[in-house]
Amino acid sequence: MMYLDGPPQVIETRVWATMPAEFRRPGVRSDWADANRGGKPVDCFIEGPSFDASGNLYVVDIPFGRIFRIATDGAWSLIIEYDGWPNGLKIAPDGRILVADYMNGLMELDARRGTVRTLLGHRISESFKGCNDLHVSSTGDIYFTDQGQTGLHDPTGRVFRLRANGQLDCLISNGPSPNGLVLDLHETALFVAMTRDNSVWRVPLVRDGGVAKVGRFSVFFGISGPDGLTMDANGRLFVAHASLGHVFVLAPNGECIARVKSCAGQTCTNVALGPNGALFTTESSTGSILIADTSGL
């Protein structure tokens, strides 16, 4: 996290909403927590914030296979609970609600009916390692990460693009824990959080459909690493860090120009820019949604 002339601006947060007690499951073990939280039970683990056209915020609860809608007044409602581990969620420009599910692959949610269906459950009859997050381009192409349990010991995580015509392209196959991802403003480069590499990679997209000259855009530190990503209209990259309790704001040249400081726990897992331009962050250790005013950047 480098800067040039001056240190990053510090932006404070406040809690906008928190998982209501009626939905929490204290002391309940889950297979997901056994594998991903050191066996420690969690009463929830929220991720995947995304806004619909009406300003409602959708989030997932990974270990218990739940998807929630949070109204503009902060009221929570459970849309669905199913057999899966929904990890990332994005609402496409056409209104489709897409889910990267660690257990089931790429899915689509029908919020009105409270149902999910599998869009893509395997590649060449082979299951995914564990899909983590996704991003939808302006043309409807779906970029998603297949993280599983990969890391520096096993850098075989993958990044895929599912084209609108159904063609599936593997863009990266050597990722040490690929996680959040977002296209740049021109949709000519893809930024991917590589959590166990504690870095963000920049992946240039070339005209033949492949990638070239992939490099590290920014490097971090800590016991975890970068998680969810988003980008604003000025091309600034917002990086949620899952162990440092911050969202870092990077200029288009990679310089860290601001840090958005969690007022709750240290597990900042994902980010979304709201309809009013405010930054919303999922802080998963407390089950909170944090809000910050970033208009002064």
Side-chain angles (χ1 to χ4, degrees), residues 89-142:
L89 183 149
K90 287 292 185 300
I91 300 179
D94 61 5
R96 289 183 302 156
I97 304 175
L98 304 173
V99 179
D101 187 290
Y102 197 94
M103 184 187 298
N104 298 306
L106 197 60
M107 309 188 80
E108 183 174 354
L109 168 70
D110 185 327
R112 185 173 61 85
R113 293 188 174 93
T115 59
V116 289
R117 70 181 184 94
T118 301
L119 287 179
L120 187 68
H122 57 82
R123 175 182 183 244
I124 321 175
S125 75
E126 183 179 74
S127 299
F128 294 111
K129 294 173 180 287
C131 293
N132 185 286
D133 208 347
L134 70 160
H135 177 78
V136 186
S137 76
S138 62
T139 61
D141 293 346
I142 303 170

Side-chain angles (χ1 to χ4, degrees), residues 128 211 279:
F128 294 111
V211 303
L279 181 72

Side-chain angles (χ1 to χ4, degrees), residues 44 83 197 202 216 295:
C44 66
D83 186 18
D197 189 46
R202 181 178 180 274
R216 287 189 178 96
S295 61

Side-chain angles (χ1 to χ4, degrees), residues 74-242:
W76 292 60
S77 57
L78 176 63
I79 297 174
I80 188 172
E81 180 174 350
Y82 70 100
D83 186 18
W85 292 329
N87 204 118
L89 183 149
K90 287 292 185 300
I91 300 179
D94 61 5
R96 289 183 302 156
I97 304 175
L98 304 173
V99 179
D101 187 290
Y102 197 94
M103 184 187 298
N104 298 306
L106 197 60
M107 309 188 80
E108 183 174 354
L109 168 70
D110 185 327
R112 185 173 61 85
R113 293 188 174 93
T115 59
V116 289
R117 70 181 184 94
T118 301
L119 287 179
L120 187 68
H122 57 82
R123 175 182 183 244
I124 321 175
S125 75
E126 183 179 74
S127 299
F128 294 111
K129 294 173 180 287
C131 293
N132 185 286
D133 208 347
L134 70 160
H135 177 78
V136 186
S137 76
S138 62
T139 61
D141 293 346
I142 303 170
Y143 293 79
F144 65 98
T145 50
D146 185 27
Q147 181 190 66
Q149 296 294 312
T150 64
L152 292 176
H153 70 297
D154 176 25
T156 58
R158 299 176 293 187
V159 179
F160 289 101
R161 174 178 56 212
L162 179 61
R163 300 188 191 225
N165 65 8
Q167 178 179 329
L168 182 64
D169 306 315
C170 184
L171 303 178
I172 295 288
S173 59
N174 64 329
S177 196
N179 199 321
L181 68 173
V182 67
L183 288 165
D184 70 358
L185 297 181
H186 303 291
E187 300 193 339
T188 57
L190 183 68
F191 291 90
V192 183
M194 292 291 177
T195 303
R196 277 17 183 224
D197 189 46
N198 233 314
S199 68
V200 174
W201 289 12
R202 181 178 180 274
V203 182
L205 306 173
V206 297
R207 290 184 178 180
D208 70 359
V211 303
K213 295 185 176 179
V214 176
R216 287 189 178 96
F217 181 71
S218 186
V219 177
F220 300 81
F221 62 93
I223 60 174
S224 185
D227 199 322
L229 306 179
T230 194
M231 182 171 286
D232 70 9
N234 294 307
R236 295 175 294 210
L237 185 67
F238 293 74
V239 183
H241 198 288

